[in-house]
Amino acid sequence: MFDSLSDRLGGIFDGLKRKGALKEAHVTEALREVRVALLEADVALPVVKDFVAKVKEKAIGQEVLKSVTPGQQVIKIVNDELVAMLGAEQSGLNLLGVPPVAVLMVGLQGSGKTTSTAKIAKRLTEKDGKKVLMASLDVRRPAAQEQLKILGEQTGVKTLPIIAGQQPVEIAKRAMEAGRLQGFDVVMLDTAGRLHVDASLMAEVIAVRDATSPLETILVADSLTGQDAVNVAKEFDAQVGITGVALTRMDGDGRGGAALSMRAVTGKPIKFAGTGEKMEALEDFHPERVASRILG
Ligand code: GDP
């Protein structure tokens, strides 16, 4: 995760630290390199500009350059601005409602939606002691409902029994009803995806949303698609309203552009990072930890 960006920034800041006394020109030069490194990591241009401007404003302050360790101070400012860019506040799932609370999982096909649904359900069950029911509303892909059922068996999380021929809204209502009658805390609804955002996908997701009033609507997006992931999130947020993002395939993402731009562009926090195919490969997204991982 973030390997190449981390290497680049490490090199830039090592240079700054070695200099000892820092002049404004040194900082300006280093920030020019940081700008290039962020753009090469596929961070959205407006986000990069804003970030560099903020760091510059703080770093060029007299106290920083005159301090005993100016290089360290600049790195600290970069760290703080990275955390701010990633969304400083901690953000788990909001499940504070009358149970069963609905969690709607949305996103494009292949983004890792079904996998993430099961990972999050397992996490809620094992770590938070919640009673979770999962239901697949994907009636388009023949094996989709079966796939979630198998993941349910693997993780020990209950899935709604499959009834052939039911439509997504009917399945969603049945899931909520089963959740109520059987005392579940959380009902996770795995919706169908498409290769691209289209009107019928959105109409279906909106109908399910309106039938279930989810407290959380999590957009699942593939970090390897970079800025496309951010654009998909923006689109879903505009049309459906999302409360957060699960960014998958972070294990293979050496650049990190989607992770770094998501919050700043969409205003919505990344809540989870998918870091592998296994059911355990899910991390809470902690801005401070991510920033320190990037800065090494
Ligand atoms: P969906 O169509 O959005 O439901 O996508 P799936 O959940 O079926 O995932 C598609 C593929 O991506 C599967 O082979 C998953 O194992 C894989 N996958 C999902 N999340 C991750 C992740 O975080 N890392 C890696 N390496 N693979 C993932």
Side-chain angles (χ1 to χ4, degrees):
M1 250 191 260
F2 306 113
D3 300 340
S4 46
L5 178 62
S6 186
D7 287 350
R8 286 286 297 272
L9 294 181
I12 298 168
F13 294 134
D14 281 349
L16 267 193
K17 274 189 282 186
R18 268 199 303 274
K19 284 206 169 67
L22 280 191
K23 294 209 171 62
E24 189 173 322
H26 296 140
V27 175
T28 306
E29 176 54 27
L31 286 179
R32 197 173 296 137
E33 291 173 35
V34 168
R35 184 181 200 273
V36 174
L38 290 173
L39 288 173
E40 281 176 7
D42 191 34
V43 181
L45 180 61
V47 177
V48 175
K49 281 187 172 163
D50 186 51
F51 175 80
V52 171
K54 281 183 178 150
V55 173
K56 192 165 184 175
E57 192 189 312
K58 290 188 181 155
I60 289 190
Q62 287 304 309
E63 318 82 72
V64 173
L65 294 185
K66 283 189 180 147
S67 73
V68 193
T69 53
Q72 295 286 6
Q73 304 276 346
V74 173
I75 296 167
K76 164 91 172 61
I77 293 167
V78 169
N79 181 79
D80 293 350
E81 286 305 322
L82 265 180
V83 173
M85 174 169 140
L86 292 165
E89 81 279 11
Q90 200 53 59
S91 54
L93 288 181
N94 167 25
L95 302 174
L96 295 174
V98 179
V101 168
V103 174
L104 192 57
M105 303 293 288
V106 301
L108 298 184
Q109 188 178 311
S111 58
K113 211 164 355 79
T114 303
T115 310
S116 301
T117 301
K119 284 177 177 178
I120 295 170
K122 175 178 155 73
R123 163 79 65 96
L124 291 175
T125 305
E126 292 176 0
K127 214 174 128 205
D128 304 323
K130 299 284 184 194
K131 200 174 162 201
V132 184
L133 178 67
M134 302 192 289
S136 168
L137 313 185
D138 188 347
V139 297
R140 260 161 242 270
R141 225 164 27 102
Q145 291 180 283
E146 195 63 32
Q147 184 192 347
L148 189 68
K149 182 177 164 210
I150 292 167
L151 291 178
E153 283 161 5
Q154 264 176 36
T155 52
V157 177
K158 291 248 162 41
T159 48
L160 187 74
I162 299 169
I163 298 180
Q166 275 201 330
Q167 290 309 297
V169 171
E170 287 176 89
I171 303 173
K173 286 183 177 162
R174 184 160 61 86
M176 294 310 290
E177 186 60 14
R180 255 186 299 277
L181 293 175
Q182 296 169 35
F184 283 93
D185 301 310
V186 180
V187 174
M188 299 205 54
L189 301 165
D190 180 20
T191 60
R194 302 276 200 290
L195 290 176
H196 301 284
V197 171
D198 64 40
S200 73
L201 167 65
M202 288 305 182
E204 183 177 304
V205 171
I206 288 167
V208 171
R209 178 199 69 191
D210 293 346
T212 58
S213 305
L215 281 189
E216 292 276 4
T217 299
I218 302 295
L219 183 273
V220 181
D222 177 355
S223 69
L224 296 180
T225 64
Q227 289 309 306
D228 283 347
V230 178
N231 291 331
V232 166
K234 243 164 75 176
E235 194 81 30
F236 269 88
D237 192 36
Q239 298 201 37
V240 185
I242 62 172
T243 54
V245 176
L247 206 54
T248 61
R249 300 206 182 86
M250 297 274 301
D251 46 310
D253 185 8
R255 304 216 289 165
L260 289 166
S261 316
M262 188 62 82
R263 173 60 193 246
V265 174
T266 66
K268 296 295 151 79
I270 299 174
K271 297 203 172 195
F272 299 102
T275 54
E277 300 202 40
K278 295 216 175 82
M279 285 295 110
E280 296 73 33
L282 180 78
E283 294 180 12
D284 290 329
F285 192 87
H286 294 290
E288 310 79 35
R289 279 187 220 162
V290 173
S292 49
R293 194 180 290 185
I294 293 172
L295 293 176

